[in-house]
Amino acid sequence: MLLLLLACPPAGSPKGGAEVCKTPNASSAWAGSTVFREATTEWGMEGVTGGRYAAGDLNGDGYPDLLVTEIFRNTRDDPANGIFSHRVLMNEAGKGFRDATIESGLVTARDGHVGTSSTVHVLGDVDNDGDLDVFAGQSWDRADDVQADLSELYLNDGSGHFSLAMNSDIAQPGGYPTAGAAFTDANADGLLDLWVTGFYVQYGYDPAAQAQLYLGNGDGTFRSVTDEVGLEMPSNIREDYYEHFARRPAYGATACDVTGDGLPELISTNYGRSWNHLWRNDGGTFTEISEEAKFDGDDNHDYTDNLWYACYCESNSCDPAPTRSCGGSFPDNYWTPGRDDQPVRLNGNSFTTVCGDIDNDGDMDLYTTEILHQWAGFSADGTQLLLNDGTGLFERIPNENNGLARKRPRQGDWNEGDLHAAFFDFDNDGWKDILLSSSDYEDTQLWLWRQVSAGVFEEVSEATGLNQPWPAGVGVADFDRDGDLDVVTGSSNARSGTPWTTRQAHLYLNDSPPGNWIRLEGFPIGTQVTVTAGGISQTQEVSGGYGHFGIQNDLPLHFGLGSVCQVEEVQARYPGGRLQNWKDVAGNRAVTLK
């Protein structure tokens, strides 16, 4: 017998039950008005700084809490002097945040010091006791003056208080340059596993770190199976540098099922204008298929518009000839023939891969964010949407063809600093929109594209009030539980030209956009859920974190329903492929399906 448990909405919620459903077929189109308003001070976040965000219900009260992390590496909190690299903000019933950093235990190191140096945080129930535990990854570099804490797993007692799990393989002796992490159920055994990607061991000198897959034991400990499941790769500092199958410095990790077989693939989003990696899950072992899947990089390998090349050619004979003038931009020795003209150097500075069914066709698409420099030319990849053909093979859609192209404000030097992104339905119309945090350079901002039809977008950043300059990181959750999705970001002061003097975190509340909704709670990480309502089927996968230095959005799945009140069918496909269906589920409420 199937049980359908309706979670009572928070008291005072303006969208708390079926009685507030809009009339079927009523207009639910966004009318172009400002949607987001900043509520940073109102919610008690003034003075909270950071650039990385993990949202999730840590204390089990039904409201998403927030873990905020500074962008610094190997900087421990120093509470006695008011210095915090981390903040644990508990949501006070949708009215604001309360600082619970110290009392949470999440900043207590194994040596007993109150203050840690962790830089990557993702959330998941690793011991199956019904609450969210936290992986705290360290970004260690051999050149650092201090030894960072090791990566740790913190276990939740259910009330938002954490203690360290027993040591296991995730605490690598000597440290690890963690750049991304994602909880996933790689072997579909019902226990969460952990996918971790690493940057250079020492930037500019040493090889990239080997990405790691840790299988969970169900008690907060993990065992590395990287080598035995086929994930081990050769170093990339010798002749294998030019091969696809070689380590690359990763800046993000993603795990999701792109082949549709109920098993998650593993993604490493890589830096250095190099290839990205996509590992197909073959049911116990993994095969690297990024080139076959067309995920490794785009097909533009024309380097004649690269200014390094143009400057080299002023002192050397070049064929083909450069298509632009050096103009004194760089010395003539920045370009190395036989290396910089090879495909391995003509791809992206990739940071985040978002995985989700953007076009509502039932399969998981990808969106990669890239830093793109004017001097590098367009052989370097830019941020792009990749549509899945249903089998895990992707088509790269030109931004000019789908409305995602941006006008660059200057003809001269420009940079696109695209680091973090999310798919979310800000106006509850049943079509996921794209949020992009472009940071650290002049003319960068928070971007929002509204999906107006399948795979077609319009830019609405300024119109919605979400065009903050120089943002840092993103997080998405319905923090006030009023039936629409809110946004948290930071402000970057990493480079000259920034308008910010501090790295203040910012909360933007979504003020009642049109459209009905449903929030589905309780599904385990890796479950793909399809909601059919009003002739539209939407699919989402419960994510255990993704992207550059760990992006964690709220785990309950929020679906916009537009003008429709009643969900015709919900289908869940659990890790491993088991299916479960429910019919006729009322909207405008939180629902737990069993």
Side-chain angles (χ1 to χ4, degrees):
M1 175 178 174
L2 298 181
L3 298 178
L4 183 149
L5 304 179
L6 297 182
C8 292
S13 169
K15 295 184 178 179
E19 70 277 6
V20 297
C21 275
K22 297 177 179 66
T23 304
N25 302 318
S27 173
S28 62
W30 174 65
S33 59
T34 299
V35 170
F36 293 94
R37 64 177 177 88
E38 186 165 0
T40 304
T41 301
E42 173 190 337
W43 272 57
M45 294 178 66
E46 198 71 37
V48 173
T49 61
R52 294 156 188 161
Y53 303 92
D57 183 5
L58 300 179
N59 59 359
D61 67 351
Y63 289 86
D65 308 301
L66 190 61
L67 178 55
V68 182
T69 305
E70 273 281 19
I71 62 174
F72 302 126
R73 184 178 60 215
N74 294 345
T75 302
R76 273 185 161 186
D77 309 90
D78 184 4
N81 292 303
I83 299 172
F84 288 91
S85 297
H86 314 87
R87 295 279 189 176
V88 180
L89 304 179
M90 289 297 184
N91 191 331
E92 298 284 84
K95 304 300 182 183
F97 288 117
R98 176 180 61 86
D99 192 326
T101 305
I102 296 176
E103 70 182 68
S104 71
L106 273 173
V107 296
T108 301
R110 193 166 288 275
D111 62 6
H113 178 78
V114 179
T116 67
S117 58
S118 53
T119 57
V120 177
H121 298 94
V122 290
L123 314 178
D125 183 6
V126 302
D127 51 3
N128 285 346
D129 64 352
D131 52 43
L132 291 178
D133 310 301
V134 177
F135 168 71
Q138 303 298 330
S139 182
W140 175 84
D141 187 295
R142 185 174 292 161
D144 292 330
D145 294 331
V146 296
Q147 173 63 56
D149 300 309
L150 300 182
S151 294
E152 298 279 13
L153 198 291
Y154 287 83
L155 294 176
N156 193 342
D157 70 357
S159 66
H161 294 92
F162 295 83
S163 58
L164 287 163
M166 293 183 294
N167 267 326
S168 62
D169 285 359
I170 62 173
Q172 291 200 22
Y176 184 82
T178 311
F183 282 119
T184 185
D185 190 354
N187 55 357
D189 65 350
L191 303 176
L192 281 187
D193 311 310
L194 183 64
W195 168 238
V196 178
T197 58
F199 199 52
Y200 291 107
V201 177
Q202 183 176 345
Y203 183 75
Y205 294 93
D206 289 331
Q210 170 63 50
Q212 300 287 333
L213 178 63
Y214 302 101
L215 293 188
N217 297 317
D219 59 359
T221 63
F222 294 82
R223 177 177 68 90
S224 177
V225 295
T226 305
D227 185 35
E228 61 191 79
V229 298
L231 291 167
E232 189 79 31
M233 303 183 85
S235 163
N236 67 344
I237 60 174
R238 294 180 293 276
E239 64 276 0
D240 47 53
Y241 173 82
Y242 300 96
E243 302 299 325
H244 267 79
F245 195 79
R247 292 184 221 165
R248 309 292 169 199
Y251 251 160
T254 300
C256 65
D257 178 12
V258 301
T259 59
D261 62 355
L263 296 172
E265 275 62 57
L266 304 178
I267 291 172
S268 176
T269 310
N270 298 332
Y271 182 73
R273 303 204 310 280
S274 187
W275 290 303
N276 293 318
H277 287 134
L278 169 61
W279 299 86
R280 185 184 64 220
N281 191 331
D282 294 327
T285 60
F286 291 84
T287 303
E288 207 286 309
I289 62 165
S290 61
E291 184 176 18
E292 171 190 340
K294 299 189 181 300
F295 173 70
D296 54 347
D298 68 24
D299 293 330
N300 183 358
H301 293 164
D302 179 4
Y303 52 82
T304 58
D305 62 349
N306 184 304
L307 276 176
W308 286 8
Y309 182 67
C311 295
Y312 170 83
C313 293
E314 284 197 344
S315 304
N316 300 272
S317 176
C318 291
D319 184 17
T323 57
R324 59 196 302 194
S325 172
C326 168
S329 300
F330 296 100
D332 63 3
N333 62 350
Y334 277 27
W335 182 266
T336 302
R339 177 183 171 91
D340 290 321
D341 53 5
Q342 298 303 300
V344 69
R345 288 280 288 163
L346 303 174
N347 297 282
N349 288 308
S350 308
F351 285 75
T352 289
T353 299
V354 186
C355 181
D357 180 15
I358 194 68
D359 53 359
N360 287 346
D361 66 351
D363 52 43
M364 296 293 108
D365 309 301
L366 303 176
Y367 181 70
T368 61
T369 71
E370 315 275 352
I371 281 186
L372 178 61
H373 303 293
Q374 180 263 357
W375 64 259
F378 289 101
S379 62
D381 296 356
T383 298
Q384 197 168 24
L385 182 64
L386 289 73
L387 295 184
N388 195 336
D389 71 353
T391 69
L393 305 181
F394 295 91
E395 178 186 3
R396 289 178 171 268
I397 308 300
N399 292 332
E400 293 75 18
N401 293 2
N402 59 17
L404 295 176
R406 285 165 276 175
K407 292 183 179 179
R408 299 183 179 92
R410 289 174 288 137
Q411 294 298 314
D413 184 42
W414 52 262
N415 303 277
E416 292 176 353
D418 301 350
L419 304 181
H420 303 87
F423 292 163
F424 78 124
D425 184 0
F426 85 89
D427 56 354
N428 282 344
D429 67 349
W431 294 91
K432 285 177 281 296
D433 311 302
I434 297 179
L435 177 67
L436 173 65
S437 174
S438 186
S439 188
D440 290 353
Y441 297 99
E442 291 184 76
D443 310 311
T444 55
Q445 66 172 72
L446 201 61
W447 297 91
L448 178 60
W449 283 274
R450 178 175 180 260
Q451 189 168 190
V452 294
S453 60
V456 179
F457 300 85
E458 63 175 351
E459 194 261 303
V460 295
S461 315
E462 183 175 3
T464 58
L466 211 60
N467 60 328
Q468 178 190 299
W470 289 64
V474 294
V476 174
D478 183 2
F479 288 106
D480 52 4
R481 288 298 192 233
D482 67 348
D484 49 48
L485 293 172
D486 311 305
V487 171
V488 63
T489 188
S491 49
S492 174
N493 60 0
R495 300 176 187 266
S496 62
T498 177
W500 305 105
T501 57
T502 67
R503 295 170 301 281
Q504 172 70 49
H506 302 267
L507 174 64
Y508 291 93
L509 290 183
N510 188 339
D511 277 342
S512 299
N516 297 303
W517 56 278
I518 191 169
R519 185 170 66 250
L520 299 178
E521 302 182 338
F523 288 113
I525 286 171
T527 306
Q528 286 191 1
V529 180
T530 300
V531 166
T532 301
I536 297 177
S537 292
Q538 309 171 54
T539 301
Q540 295 186 42
E541 182 171 315
V542 183
S543 171
Y546 68 98
H548 180 54
F549 277 84
I551 304 167
Q552 180 82 56
N553 300 320
D554 199 13
L555 271 72
L557 300 179
H558 179 103
F559 292 85
L561 302 178
S563 62
V564 179
C565 259
Q566 192 79 2
V567 174
E568 300 156 23
E569 182 178 25
V570 176
Q571 181 181 85
R573 190 184 67 194
Y574 299 96
R578 180 175 69 88
L579 298 177
Q580 194 172 10
N581 295 71
W582 298 263
K583 301 285 188 180
D584 298 325
V585 182
N588 277 11
R589 63 183 68 228
V591 180
T592 299
L593 299 170
K594 297 290 185 180

